[in-house]
Amino acid sequence: MEGDTALRAVTPGDASAFRAHLEAQELALDTIGWRIKMAKCLFAAAVDFGHIVINPFEKVRAGSKSTNDRFVDVEPQIIDAIIEDVSCLEWKAIITLWRYGGLRAQEPLHLKWNDVDWANRRLTVQDVKRKRQRTIPLWPKVEEALSVLFASAEEGATRIITKYKPGQKLGTQFVRIIRQAGFEVWGKPIQNLRASCQNDLEKAGHRITAVCNWIGNSPTVASKHYLQVTDEDFEQALGASNRGQQSVRQSVQYRTERSRTGSLEDFTNSECTTIPDHAGGCVDPKTIEYPLKDSNLCF
């Protein structure tokens, strides 16, 4: 399509060709999906205003937005080192709430001290995305971070995080904190902390219903965007079998090395030592005479 193509001149074939053009540029699937969705919205509005009759992008697949290919399991030892390195108590609490509380990027900024139920060890989170509240356990590391911050809070303070106001972006500063601690920045730094938290809760054996309630998403969203197979899953799955199969692998490796380094005669003789005495030892198959049968009548 040319830059001055009229809306009514765009056909469904042109729309399909546009998606193929985006794919040929090797753009990320999220980028392709976003551009197709924007085109759908544009032409849908044109239909509503009567400029065109049909939406040529109606049947063009936008593709669902998925973050699976950018999931990073941020291990506790890494995030603990980052928390230890940062000097600001509020940032310590923010990062802890992301990684060990599963909060969204903006949710720590909405917390108030009366949201903390110290007696029952629970924390009420203002779910700004779904516009409702959810209650999560006051997990040990979250409780510790909030306790330290509470001890240093000004008397009469209501908000837990006072350094930033709700709506302020935290991503850029968090990237600086990661680099300052000596680590490389992983993809989607904040979201992957939340995803790692949900993975940990599932691996700990909590019911998916409870985990999704604490994190604030649905099982469908969790399985699509958050719950991932990690290296630890493979290690646990192979743990028992590794011990049982170790001797088998060693035996195969030994036989392979013998076949590579030893002579054919040595290898054959070594095999003969396993034949019982009554078997008569190794026999050259060329010297064996077989009785004449219907199956070997050819001379």
Side-chain angles (χ1 to χ4, degrees), residues 31-42:
T31 301
I32 294 175
W34 182 82
R35 292 185 181 182
I36 295 297
K37 288 178 181 178
M38 292 301 100
K40 282 188 175 184
C41 291
L42 171 65

Side-chain angles (χ1 to χ4, degrees), residues 14 26 40 100 150 185 208 213 263 271 280:
D14 293 329
E26 297 184 353
K40 282 188 175 184
Y100 296 109
F150 182 74
V185 180
I208 187 65
N213 185 275
S263 65
E271 291 297 311

Side-chain angles (χ1 to χ4, degrees), residues 111-118 145-151 153-154 157-162:
L111 291 176
K112 298 180 180 179
W113 285 116
N114 58 12
D115 292 328
V116 185
D117 184 350
W118 301 104
L146 292 181
S147 297
V148 172
L149 191 57
F150 182 74
E154 295 183 3
T158 57
R159 293 178 54 239
I160 293 180
I161 305 299
T162 59

